[in-house]
Amino acid sequence: MTHIAPQPGILDIALYEGGAAHVKGMSNVTKLSSNENPLGPSPKAIEAMQAAVSEMHRYPSSDHSGLRQAIGEVYGLPMEQIICGAGSDEIITFLCQAYAGPGDEVLFTEHGFAMYRISALAAGATPVEVAERDRVTDVDALLAGCSERTRLVFIANPNNPTGTMIGMADLARLADGLPKGALLVLDGAYAEYVEGYDAGAALVANRDNVVMTRTFSKIYGLGGARVGWGYAPKPIIDVLNRVRGPFNLSSTALAGAEAAVRDTDYTEHCRLENAKWRTWLAEALAELGVPSDTSCANFILARFASPEEAGACDAFLQSRGLIVRRVTGYKLPAALRITVGDETACNALVAAVKAFKDGAA
């Protein structure tokens, strides 16, 4: 067995760790660690998925035409430039598989989503981490980090786990400043939480070097169904479809996602509820001496005085049955990423942090 070895880069991948869902010895917990929609999916999505179960003996659509048409109609995009995958993670994997390999570089920011590094290494490419400025994407630093070997530049906007974002002018400047042969990938997993933001769709329409990825795991509440999508120039979609498996999405996932994206009233309800409780949560924590940057997503990055205080608060919250996310792996050891929950969860979280602060004083 010593002669059987994986491809270079594979063993350099640190296993992805999702948000915790359990506390030992507790059966009733509140999970605020994975940026899930506390309101759940649209009732119409649930109904569509239940109806699809009776056809589980049939293979699903291989071209996802129903879902792509629905996405195109809701977002005003040509369906032939849309690709669907098992979460936006799979679209990211397709991009690295198709456009990066040994000798190539994949850029992302220092607090960027972990899958950028993982997918780059899996493709045999070299991951290149670029500094942010006060937890915000720095376009100048990204452009300076590019070289003739750069093939992909990933940024999440809004970013996970910081919650911060940059404007359209900066995105356009980044796209226009990339070397020839490099693609800018705009990860819009949290774009629906920003009113009036197209996640870079207009940039894709007017350039040949920009790709946008989206997900149904956040505002649409379908994390368990694993559905994502991408919008890109037609030649890039053609390439990605050549590496995509023919049946990469289940019938139930496709049905649920199509119903979810068409239920625009429910999506707007979720956005407004998140905005209300995000503001409340950030202000309440700030009053307790726990600041955060203005978040444009469905979570806040709560900053503490030290890694030790963040760790102690995390342990205290767990003792109260509240699970948040340590982000030490994202080089933010003195912070906790806290999903915006419903009213009950937000009140419980603030009460627990206050108790922790009072006890530590």
Side-chain angles (χ1 to χ4, degrees), residues 116 136-137 154-160 162-168 170-171 185-192 194 197-200 203 212-214 296-297:
Y116 307 149
V136 178
T137 296
F154 286 100
I155 70 165
N157 202 51
N159 188 43
N160 170 30
T162 63
T164 59
M165 68 181 295
I166 59 176
M168 292 302 298
D170 279 331
L171 292 176
V185 183
L186 301 177
D187 181 348
Y190 300 92
E192 290 86 0
V194 184
Y197 175 50
D198 75 352
L203 292 180
M212 175 184 75
T213 65
R214 305 286 280 271
C296 299

PDB file of all heavy atoms in Angstrom, residues 116 136-137 154-160 162-168 170-171 185-192 194 197-200 203 212-214 296-297:
ATOM      1  N   TYR A 116     -12.568  27.385  -1.137  1.00  0.00           N
ATOM      2  CA  TYR A 116     -11.711  27.872  -2.218  1.00  0.00           C
ATOM      3  C   TYR A 116     -10.348  27.176  -2.159  1.00  0.00           C
ATOM      4  O   TYR A 116      -9.829  26.687  -3.168  1.00  0.00           O
ATOM      5  CB  TYR A 116     -11.517  29.388  -2.125  1.00  0.00           C
ATOM      6  CG  TYR A 116     -12.794  30.193  -2.043  1.00  0.00           C
ATOM      7  CD1 TYR A 116     -12.841  31.404  -1.356  1.00  0.00           C
ATOM      8  CD2 TYR A 116     -13.969  29.740  -2.645  1.00  0.00           C
ATOM      9  CE1 TYR A 116     -14.004  32.149  -1.274  1.00  0.00           C
ATOM     10  CE2 TYR A 116     -15.142  30.480  -2.556  1.00  0.00           C
ATOM     11  CZ  TYR A 116     -15.151  31.683  -1.866  1.00  0.00           C
ATOM     12  OH  TYR A 116     -16.304  32.407  -1.777  1.00  0.00           O
ATOM     13  N   VAL A 136     -12.283  43.341   5.344  1.00  0.00           N
ATOM     14  CA  VAL A 136     -12.997  43.677   4.107  1.00  0.00           C
ATOM     15  C   VAL A 136     -12.102  43.339   2.918  1.00  0.00           C
ATOM     16  O   VAL A 136     -10.878  43.580   2.950  1.00  0.00           O
ATOM     17  CB  VAL A 136     -13.377  45.181   4.067  1.00  0.00           C
ATOM     18  CG1 VAL A 136     -14.083  45.517   2.756  1.00  0.00           C
ATOM     19  CG2 VAL A 136     -14.261  45.542   5.259  1.00  0.00           C
ATOM     20  N   THR A 137     -12.671  42.780   1.859  1.00  0.00           N
ATOM     21  CA  THR A 137     -11.916  42.455   0.649  1.00  0.00           C
ATOM     22  C   THR A 137     -11.176  43.681   0.137  1.00  0.00           C
ATOM     23  O   THR A 137     -11.749  44.764  -0.004  1.00  0.00           O
ATOM     24  CB  THR A 137     -12.872  41.938  -0.447  1.00  0.00           C
ATOM     25  OG1 THR A 137     -13.460  40.713  -0.007  1.00  0.00           O
ATOM     26  CG2 THR A 137     -12.128  41.708  -1.755  1.00  0.00           C
ATOM     27  N   PHE A 154     -11.341  34.027  -6.339  1.00  0.00           N
ATOM     28  CA  PHE A 154     -12.615  33.847  -5.642  1.00  0.00           C
ATOM     29  C   PHE A 154     -12.808  34.948  -4.600  1.00  0.00           C
ATOM     30  O   PHE A 154     -11.916  35.196  -3.779  1.00  0.00           O
ATOM     31  CB  PHE A 154     -12.644  32.504  -4.905  1.00  0.00           C
ATOM     32  CG  PHE A 154     -12.817  31.305  -5.783  1.00  0.00           C
ATOM     33  CD1 PHE A 154     -11.729  30.523  -6.147  1.00  0.00           C
ATOM     34  CD2 PHE A 154     -14.078  30.934  -6.239  1.00  0.00           C
ATOM     35  CE1 PHE A 154     -11.883  29.398  -6.943  1.00  0.00           C
ATOM     36  CE2 PHE A 154     -14.245  29.816  -7.038  1.00  0.00           C
ATOM     37  CZ  PHE A 154     -13.146  29.040  -7.398  1.00  0.00           C
ATOM     38  N   ILE A 155     -13.964  35.586  -4.627  1.00  0.00           N
ATOM     39  CA  ILE A 155     -14.346  36.417  -3.486  1.00  0.00           C
ATOM     40  C   ILE A 155     -15.827  36.178  -3.185  1.00  0.00           C
ATOM     41  O   ILE A 155     -16.636  36.032  -4.101  1.00  0.00           O
ATOM     42  CB  ILE A 155     -14.074  37.926  -3.686  1.00  0.00           C
ATOM     43  CG1 ILE A 155     -15.020  38.533  -4.714  1.00  0.00           C
ATOM     44  CG2 ILE A 155     -12.647  38.202  -4.040  1.00  0.00           C
ATOM     45  CD1 ILE A 155     -15.032  40.044  -4.658  1.00  0.00           C
ATOM     46  N   ALA A 156     -16.133  36.087  -1.907  1.00  0.00           N
ATOM     47  CA  ALA A 156     -17.528  35.997  -1.474  1.00  0.00           C
ATOM     48  C   ALA A 156     -17.979  37.412  -1.137  1.00  0.00           C
ATOM     49  O   ALA A 156     -17.291  38.134  -0.418  1.00  0.00           O
ATOM     50  CB  ALA A 156     -17.654  35.095  -0.254  1.00  0.00           C
ATOM     51  N   ASN A 157     -19.121  37.803  -1.664  1.00  0.00           N
ATOM     52  CA  ASN A 157     -19.595  39.171  -1.490  1.00  0.00           C
ATOM     53  C   ASN A 157     -21.119  39.155  -1.348  1.00  0.00           C
ATOM     54  O   ASN A 157     -21.810  39.004  -2.351  1.00  0.00           O
ATOM     55  CB  ASN A 157     -19.175  40.013  -2.711  1.00  0.00           C
ATOM     56  CG  ASN A 157     -19.143  41.494  -2.413  1.00  0.00           C
ATOM     57  OD1 ASN A 157     -18.545  41.911  -1.444  1.00  0.00           O
ATOM     58  ND2 ASN A 157     -19.781  42.292  -3.259  1.00  0.00           N
ATOM     59  N   PRO A 158     -21.651  39.258  -0.095  1.00  0.00           N
ATOM     60  CA  PRO A 158     -20.976  39.419   1.189  1.00  0.00           C
ATOM     61  C   PRO A 158     -20.081  38.217   1.531  1.00  0.00           C
ATOM     62  O   PRO A 158     -20.329  37.112   1.067  1.00  0.00           O
ATOM     63  CB  PRO A 158     -22.130  39.525   2.195  1.00  0.00           C
ATOM     64  CG  PRO A 158     -23.327  39.907   1.376  1.00  0.00           C
ATOM     65  CD  PRO A 158     -23.123  39.276   0.043  1.00  0.00           C
ATOM     66  N   ASN A 159     -19.073  38.505   2.356  1.00  0.00           N
ATOM     67  CA  ASN A 159     -18.088  37.477   2.685  1.00  0.00           C
ATOM     68  C   ASN A 159     -18.503  36.666   3.913  1.00  0.00           C
ATOM     69  O   ASN A 159     -19.152  37.172   4.819  1.00  0.00           O
ATOM     70  CB  ASN A 159     -16.721  38.122   2.946  1.00  0.00           C
ATOM     71  CG  ASN A 159     -15.637  37.086   3.107  1.00  0.00           C
ATOM     72  OD1 ASN A 159     -15.568  36.125   2.362  1.00  0.00           O
ATOM     73  ND2 ASN A 159     -14.777  37.271   4.096  1.00  0.00           N
ATOM     74  N   ASN A 160     -18.138  35.414   3.874  1.00  0.00           N
ATOM     75  CA  ASN A 160     -18.290  34.516   5.018  1.00  0.00           C
ATOM     76  C   ASN A 160     -16.878  34.153   5.485  1.00  0.00           C
ATOM     77  O   ASN A 160     -16.096  33.660   4.680  1.00  0.00           O
ATOM     78  CB  ASN A 160     -19.048  33.264   4.583  1.00  0.00           C
ATOM     79  CG  ASN A 160     -19.060  32.166   5.628  1.00  0.00           C
ATOM     80  OD1 ASN A 160     -19.020  32.447   6.817  1.00  0.00           O
ATOM     81  ND2 ASN A 160     -19.114  30.927   5.189  1.00  0.00           N
ATOM     82  N   THR A 162     -16.966  37.077   7.625  1.00  0.00           N
ATOM     83  CA  THR A 162     -16.929  38.448   8.142  1.00  0.00           C
ATOM     84  C   THR A 162     -18.257  39.178   8.001  1.00  0.00           C
ATOM     85  O   THR A 162     -18.556  40.075   8.790  1.00  0.00           O
ATOM     86  CB  THR A 162     -15.837  39.254   7.425  1.00  0.00           C
ATOM     87  OG1 THR A 162     -16.166  39.344   6.024  1.00  0.00           O
ATOM     88  CG2 THR A 162     -14.474  38.604   7.597  1.00  0.00           C
ATOM     89  N   GLY A 163     -19.036  38.851   6.972  1.00  0.00           N
ATOM     90  CA  GLY A 163     -20.299  39.540   6.734  1.00  0.00           C
ATOM     91  C   GLY A 163     -20.157  40.840   5.968  1.00  0.00           C
ATOM     92  O   GLY A 163     -21.159  41.472   5.629  1.00  0.00           O
ATOM     93  N   THR A 164     -18.918  41.247   5.671  1.00  0.00           N
ATOM     94  CA  THR A 164     -18.682  42.509   4.977  1.00  0.00           C
ATOM     95  C   THR A 164     -18.759  42.321   3.462  1.00  0.00           C
ATOM     96  O   THR A 164     -18.684  41.201   2.954  1.00  0.00           O
ATOM     97  CB  THR A 164     -17.311  43.081   5.338  1.00  0.00           C
ATOM     98  OG1 THR A 164     -16.291  42.133   4.976  1.00  0.00           O
ATOM     99  CG2 THR A 164     -17.210  43.353   6.837  1.00  0.00           C
ATOM    100  N   MET A 165     -18.894  43.436   2.728  1.00  0.00           N
ATOM    101  CA  MET A 165     -18.925  43.353   1.275  1.00  0.00           C
ATOM    102  C   MET A 165     -18.358  44.624   0.660  1.00  0.00           C
ATOM    103  O   MET A 165     -18.200  45.644   1.334  1.00  0.00           O
ATOM    104  CB  MET A 165     -20.350  43.095   0.777  1.00  0.00           C
ATOM    105  CG  MET A 165     -21.322  44.221   0.985  1.00  0.00           C
ATOM    106  SD  MET A 165     -23.010  43.816   0.379  1.00  0.00           S
ATOM    107  CE  MET A 165     -22.743  43.656  -1.387  1.00  0.00           C
ATOM    108  N   ILE A 166     -18.024  44.547  -0.631  1.00  0.00           N
ATOM    109  CA  ILE A 166     -17.557  45.710  -1.370  1.00  0.00           C
ATOM    110  C   ILE A 166     -18.574  46.048  -2.457  1.00  0.00           C
ATOM    111  O   ILE A 166     -19.434  45.232  -2.799  1.00  0.00           O
ATOM    112  CB  ILE A 166     -16.159  45.481  -1.987  1.00  0.00           C
ATOM    113  CG1 ILE A 166     -16.174  44.288  -2.946  1.00  0.00           C
ATOM    114  CG2 ILE A 166     -15.129  45.279  -0.875  1.00  0.00           C
ATOM    115  CD1 ILE A 166     -14.846  44.063  -3.671  1.00  0.00           C
ATOM    116  N   GLY A 167     -18.465  47.266  -3.007  1.00  0.00           N
ATOM    117  CA  GLY A 167     -19.448  47.750  -3.961  1.00  0.00           C
ATOM    118  C   GLY A 167     -19.161  47.350  -5.399  1.00  0.00           C
ATOM    119  O   GLY A 167     -18.113  46.781  -5.726  1.00  0.00           O
ATOM    120  N   MET A 168     -20.109  47.676  -6.279  1.00  0.00           N
ATOM    121  CA  MET A 168     -20.023  47.275  -7.668  1.00  0.00           C
ATOM    122  C   MET A 168     -18.833  47.911  -8.377  1.00  0.00           C
ATOM    123  O   MET A 168     -18.223  47.283  -9.257  1.00  0.00           O
ATOM    124  CB  MET A 168     -21.321  47.645  -8.388  1.00  0.00           C
ATOM    125  CG  MET A 168     -22.525  46.847  -7.933  1.00  0.00           C
ATOM    126  SD  MET A 168     -22.309  45.054  -8.129  1.00  0.00           S
ATOM    127  CE  MET A 168     -22.097  44.929  -9.901  1.00  0.00           C
ATOM    128  N   ASP A 170     -15.903  48.570  -7.191  1.00  0.00           N
ATOM    129  CA  ASP A 170     -14.709  47.794  -6.842  1.00  0.00           C
ATOM    130  C   ASP A 170     -14.714  46.437  -7.532  1.00  0.00           C
ATOM    131  O   ASP A 170     -13.673  45.950  -7.975  1.00  0.00           O
ATOM    132  CB  ASP A 170     -14.612  47.609  -5.325  1.00  0.00           C
ATOM    133  CG  ASP A 170     -14.027  48.821  -4.624  1.00  0.00           C
ATOM    134  OD1 ASP A 170     -13.223  49.531  -5.258  1.00  0.00           O
ATOM    135  OD2 ASP A 170     -14.372  49.054  -3.459  1.00  0.00           O
ATOM    136  N   LEU A 171     -15.888  45.817  -7.635  1.00  0.00           N
ATOM    137  CA  LEU A 171     -15.967  44.533  -8.327  1.00  0.00           C
ATOM    138  C   LEU A 171     -15.587  44.691  -9.797  1.00  0.00           C
ATOM    139  O   LEU A 171     -14.863  43.862 -10.361  1.00  0.00           O
ATOM    140  CB  LEU A 171     -17.380  43.956  -8.209  1.00  0.00           C
ATOM    141  CG  LEU A 171     -17.835  43.509  -6.819  1.00  0.00           C
ATOM    142  CD1 LEU A 171     -19.289  43.048  -6.867  1.00  0.00           C
ATOM    143  CD2 LEU A 171     -16.945  42.396  -6.280  1.00  0.00           C
ATOM    144  N   VAL A 185     -14.501  34.884  -9.832  1.00  0.00           N
ATOM    145  CA  VAL A 185     -15.682  34.150  -9.383  1.00  0.00           C
ATOM    146  C   VAL A 185     -16.287  34.894  -8.196  1.00  0.00           C
ATOM    147  O   VAL A 185     -15.662  35.022  -7.142  1.00  0.00           O
ATOM    148  CB  VAL A 185     -15.327  32.705  -8.977  1.00  0.00           C
ATOM    149  CG1 VAL A 185     -16.595  31.960  -8.576  1.00  0.00           C
ATOM    150  CG2 VAL A 185     -14.609  31.989 -10.115  1.00  0.00           C
ATOM    151  N   LEU A 186     -17.502  35.384  -8.386  1.00  0.00           N
ATOM    152  CA  LEU A 186     -18.217  36.110  -7.343  1.00  0.00           C
ATOM    153  C   LEU A 186     -19.173  35.151  -6.648  1.00  0.00           C
ATOM    154  O   LEU A 186     -20.181  34.735  -7.219  1.00  0.00           O
ATOM    155  CB  LEU A 186     -18.984  37.285  -7.956  1.00  0.00           C
ATOM    156  CG  LEU A 186     -18.131  38.313  -8.711  1.00  0.00           C
ATOM    157  CD1 LEU A 186     -19.020  39.377  -9.338  1.00  0.00           C
ATOM    158  CD2 LEU A 186     -17.108  38.945  -7.784  1.00  0.00           C
ATOM    159  N   ASP A 187     -18.848  34.802  -5.434  1.00  0.00           N
ATOM    160  CA  ASP A 187     -19.639  33.874  -4.629  1.00  0.00           C
ATOM    161  C   ASP A 187     -20.746  34.672  -3.944  1.00  0.00           C
ATOM    162  O   ASP A 187     -20.489  35.431  -3.010  1.00  0.00           O
ATOM    163  CB  ASP A 187     -18.715  33.200  -3.614  1.00  0.00           C
ATOM    164  CG  ASP A 187     -19.431  32.195  -2.729  1.00  0.00           C
ATOM    165  OD1 ASP A 187     -20.678  32.164  -2.724  1.00  0.00           O
ATOM    166  OD2 ASP A 187     -18.730  31.436  -2.024  1.00  0.00           O
ATOM    167  N   GLY A 188     -21.974  34.473  -4.415  1.00  0.00           N
ATOM    168  CA  GLY A 188     -23.102  35.229  -3.880  1.00  0.00           C
ATOM    169  C   GLY A 188     -24.006  34.411  -2.981  1.00  0.00           C
ATOM    170  O   GLY A 188     -25.232  34.552  -3.041  1.00  0.00           O
ATOM    171  N   ALA A 189     -23.412  33.580  -2.134  1.00  0.00           N
ATOM    172  CA  ALA A 189     -24.224  32.726  -1.258  1.00  0.00           C
ATOM    173  C   ALA A 189     -25.182  33.532  -0.382  1.00  0.00           C
ATOM    174  O   ALA A 189     -26.265  33.058  -0.036  1.00  0.00           O
ATOM    175  CB  ALA A 189     -23.314  31.859  -0.384  1.00  0.00           C
ATOM    176  N   TYR A 190     -24.785  34.759  -0.024  1.00  0.00           N
ATOM    177  CA  TYR A 190     -25.594  35.578   0.872  1.00  0.00           C
ATOM    178  C   TYR A 190     -26.180  36.798   0.162  1.00  0.00           C
ATOM    179  O   TYR A 190     -26.669  37.721   0.811  1.00  0.00           O
ATOM    180  CB  TYR A 190     -24.750  36.017   2.074  1.00  0.00           C
ATOM    181  CG  TYR A 190     -24.230  34.856   2.875  1.00  0.00           C
ATOM    182  CD1 TYR A 190     -22.974  34.303   2.594  1.00  0.00           C
ATOM    183  CD2 TYR A 190     -24.992  34.264   3.869  1.00  0.00           C
ATOM    184  CE1 TYR A 190     -22.500  33.200   3.304  1.00  0.00           C
ATOM    185  CE2 TYR A 190     -24.525  33.168   4.589  1.00  0.00           C
ATOM    186  CZ  TYR A 190     -23.276  32.645   4.295  1.00  0.00           C
ATOM    187  OH  TYR A 190     -22.814  31.553   4.997  1.00  0.00           O
ATOM    188  N   ALA A 191     -26.140  36.797  -1.177  1.00  0.00           N
ATOM    189  CA  ALA A 191     -26.549  37.978  -1.940  1.00  0.00           C
ATOM    190  C   ALA A 191     -28.009  38.351  -1.709  1.00  0.00           C
ATOM    191  O   ALA A 191     -28.359  39.542  -1.710  1.00  0.00           O
ATOM    192  CB  ALA A 191     -26.311  37.732  -3.429  1.00  0.00           C
ATOM    193  N   GLU A 192     -28.875  37.360  -1.510  1.00  0.00           N
ATOM    194  CA  GLU A 192     -30.300  37.660  -1.359  1.00  0.00           C
ATOM    195  C   GLU A 192     -30.609  38.464  -0.102  1.00  0.00           C
ATOM    196  O   GLU A 192     -31.691  39.052   0.013  1.00  0.00           O
ATOM    197  CB  GLU A 192     -31.116  36.357  -1.334  1.00  0.00           C
ATOM    198  CG  GLU A 192     -31.174  35.641  -2.672  1.00  0.00           C
ATOM    199  CD  GLU A 192     -29.984  34.718  -2.893  1.00  0.00           C
ATOM    200  OE1 GLU A 192     -29.112  34.643  -1.994  1.00  0.00           O
ATOM    201  OE2 GLU A 192     -29.932  34.072  -3.948  1.00  0.00           O
ATOM    202  N   VAL A 194     -29.117  41.153   0.674  1.00  0.00           N
ATOM    203  CA  VAL A 194     -28.796  42.551   0.377  1.00  0.00           C
ATOM    204  C   VAL A 194     -29.828  43.096  -0.604  1.00  0.00           C
ATOM    205  O   VAL A 194     -29.892  42.661  -1.755  1.00  0.00           O
ATOM    206  CB  VAL A 194     -27.385  42.689  -0.222  1.00  0.00           C
ATOM    207  CG1 VAL A 194     -27.035  44.165  -0.420  1.00  0.00           C
ATOM    208  CG2 VAL A 194     -26.352  42.002   0.666  1.00  0.00           C
ATOM    209  N   TYR A 197     -29.270  44.063  -4.666  1.00  0.00           N
ATOM    210  CA  TYR A 197     -27.942  43.633  -5.111  1.00  0.00           C
ATOM    211  C   TYR A 197     -28.077  42.454  -6.061  1.00  0.00           C
ATOM    212  O   TYR A 197     -28.739  41.465  -5.730  1.00  0.00           O
ATOM    213  CB  TYR A 197     -27.108  43.256  -3.886  1.00  0.00           C
ATOM    214  CG  TYR A 197     -25.746  42.674  -4.183  1.00  0.00           C
ATOM    215  CD1 TYR A 197     -24.870  43.289  -5.064  1.00  0.00           C
ATOM    216  CD2 TYR A 197     -25.315  41.511  -3.545  1.00  0.00           C
ATOM    217  CE1 TYR A 197     -23.611  42.765  -5.326  1.00  0.00           C
ATOM    218  CE2 TYR A 197     -24.061  40.976  -3.781  1.00  0.00           C
ATOM    219  CZ  TYR A 197     -23.212  41.608  -4.675  1.00  0.00           C
ATOM    220  OH  TYR A 197     -21.979  41.078  -4.928  1.00  0.00           O
ATOM    221  N   ASP A 198     -27.457  42.554  -7.246  1.00  0.00           N
ATOM    222  CA  ASP A 198     -27.591  41.477  -8.234  1.00  0.00           C
ATOM    223  C   ASP A 198     -26.460  40.458  -8.158  1.00  0.00           C
ATOM    224  O   ASP A 198     -26.381  39.558  -8.997  1.00  0.00           O
ATOM    225  CB  ASP A 198     -27.677  42.056  -9.651  1.00  0.00           C
ATOM    226  CG  ASP A 198     -26.342  42.563 -10.181  1.00  0.00           C
ATOM    227  OD1 ASP A 198     -25.351  42.613  -9.415  1.00  0.00           O
ATOM    228  OD2 ASP A 198     -26.284  42.908 -11.386  1.00  0.00           O
ATOM    229  N   ALA A 199     -25.612  40.574  -7.146  1.00  0.00           N
ATOM    230  CA  ALA A 199     -24.511  39.625  -6.894  1.00  0.00           C
ATOM    231  C   ALA A 199     -23.482  39.593  -8.015  1.00  0.00           C
ATOM    232  O   ALA A 199     -22.674  38.681  -8.097  1.00  0.00           O
ATOM    233  CB  ALA A 199     -25.042  38.210  -6.636  1.00  0.00           C
ATOM    234  N   GLY A 200     -23.500  40.609  -8.873  1.00  0.00           N
ATOM    235  CA  GLY A 200     -22.530  40.660  -9.963  1.00  0.00           C
ATOM    236  C   GLY A 200     -23.064  40.155 -11.287  1.00  0.00           C
ATOM    237  O   GLY A 200     -22.302  39.999 -12.248  1.00  0.00           O
ATOM    238  N   LEU A 203     -22.143  42.242 -14.236  1.00  0.00           N
ATOM    239  CA  LEU A 203     -20.738  42.092 -14.628  1.00  0.00           C
ATOM    240  C   LEU A 203     -20.557  40.869 -15.518  1.00  0.00           C
ATOM    241  O   LEU A 203     -19.802  40.893 -16.488  1.00  0.00           O
ATOM    242  CB  LEU A 203     -19.840  41.980 -13.391  1.00  0.00           C
ATOM    243  CG  LEU A 203     -19.702  43.215 -12.507  1.00  0.00           C
ATOM    244  CD1 LEU A 203     -18.775  42.907 -11.333  1.00  0.00           C
ATOM    245  CD2 LEU A 203     -19.182  44.400 -13.298  1.00  0.00           C
ATOM    246  N   MET A 212     -20.649  34.040 -11.615  1.00  0.00           N
ATOM    247  CA  MET A 212     -21.364  34.246 -10.357  1.00  0.00           C
ATOM    248  C   MET A 212     -21.885  32.906  -9.857  1.00  0.00           C
ATOM    249  O   MET A 212     -22.429  32.122 -10.625  1.00  0.00           O
ATOM    250  CB  MET A 212     -22.539  35.198 -10.580  1.00  0.00           C
ATOM    251  CG  MET A 212     -23.432  35.404  -9.353  1.00  0.00           C
ATOM    252  SD  MET A 212     -24.866  36.459  -9.730  1.00  0.00           S
ATOM    253  CE  MET A 212     -25.903  35.322 -10.653  1.00  0.00           C
ATOM    254  N   THR A 213     -21.711  32.629  -8.567  1.00  0.00           N
ATOM    255  CA  THR A 213     -22.286  31.427  -7.972  1.00  0.00           C
ATOM    256  C   THR A 213     -23.305  31.821  -6.906  1.00  0.00           C
ATOM    257  O   THR A 213     -23.167  32.849  -6.244  1.00  0.00           O
ATOM    258  CB  THR A 213     -21.220  30.516  -7.342  1.00  0.00           C
ATOM    259  OG1 THR A 213     -20.614  31.190  -6.228  1.00  0.00           O
ATOM    260  CG2 THR A 213     -20.146  30.150  -8.350  1.00  0.00           C
ATOM    261  N   ARG A 214     -24.331  30.989  -6.758  1.00  0.00           N
ATOM    262  CA  ARG A 214     -25.401  31.240  -5.779  1.00  0.00           C
ATOM    263  C   ARG A 214     -25.787  29.905  -5.133  1.00  0.00           C
ATOM    264  O   ARG A 214     -25.409  28.835  -5.603  1.00  0.00           O
ATOM    265  CB  ARG A 214     -26.623  31.862  -6.462  1.00  0.00           C
ATOM    266  CG  ARG A 214     -26.339  33.131  -7.257  1.00  0.00           C
ATOM    267  CD  ARG A 214     -26.099  34.333  -6.379  1.00  0.00           C
ATOM    268  NE  ARG A 214     -27.346  34.902  -5.906  1.00  0.00           N
ATOM    269  CZ  ARG A 214     -28.039  35.839  -6.558  1.00  0.00           C
ATOM    270  NH1 ARG A 214     -27.615  36.300  -7.722  1.00  0.00           N
ATOM    271  NH2 ARG A 214     -29.144  36.334  -6.043  1.00  0.00           N
ATOM    272  N   CYS A 296     -23.792  42.224   6.103  1.00  0.00           N
ATOM    273  CA  CYS A 296     -24.732  42.244   4.986  1.00  0.00           C
ATOM    274  C   CYS A 296     -25.301  40.851   4.734  1.00  0.00           C
ATOM    275  O   CYS A 296     -25.911  40.601   3.685  1.00  0.00           O
ATOM    276  CB  CYS A 296     -24.029  42.754   3.728  1.00  0.00           C
ATOM    277  SG  CYS A 296     -23.386  44.430   3.887  1.00  0.00           S
ATOM    278  N   ALA A 297     -25.097  39.939   5.685  1.00  0.00           N
ATOM    279  CA  ALA A 297     -25.499  38.542   5.505  1.00  0.00           C
ATOM    280  C   ALA A 297     -26.513  38.144   6.581  1.00  0.00           C
ATOM    281  O   ALA A 297     -27.218  38.999   7.123  1.00  0.00           O
ATOM    282  CB  ALA A 297     -24.266  37.637   5.531  1.00  0.00           C
TER     283      ALA A 297
END
